[in-house]
Amino acid sequence: MIKTSKLFLAAAGIALASSASFADDDKIVIGGALSMTGIQAPLDTPGYNGAQVAVKFLTTMAASSASRSNSSTSMANRIR
């Protein structure tokens, strides 16, 4: 059983690493398969809420970076 779990974790790590892609622009894309209704919703809602917190954090960091740099090409403008 332990070997199976380790094998599964290794396969999952490889799958996640190989599915990463990079955009040409500076936008951050957050995606996920979530169920907001039905029997799976109580399990997926915390992940959705966590993603919302991450977006707020990144937006706040970008705004503080923009106020420090006063540049027209600041990160805040690139995120929007």
Side-chain angles (χ1 to χ4, degrees):
M1 181 70 178
I2 293 175
K3 288 183 180 182
T4 305
S5 298
K6 288 181 181 179
L7 180 62
F8 176 74
L9 288 175
I14 291 170
L16 289 174
S18 65
S19 65
S21 62
F22 299 97
D24 292 333
D25 54 8
D26 291 334
K27 293 182 181 178
I28 298 173
V29 178
I30 300 174
L34 300 170
S35 176
M36 301 308 292
T37 61
I39 197 166
Q40 187 70 22
L43 301 174
D44 290 345
T45 302
Y48 176 74
N49 292 340
Q52 288 181 323
V53 170
V55 167
K56 287 180 183 178
F57 175 77
L58 292 172
T59 304
T60 303
M61 293 300 293
S64 66
S65 174
S67 66
R68 280 185 254 143
S69 68
N70 290 330
S71 171
S72 62
T73 59
S74 66
M75 184 183 293
N77 290 333
R78 288 184 239 151
I79 289 177
R80 294 182 198 151

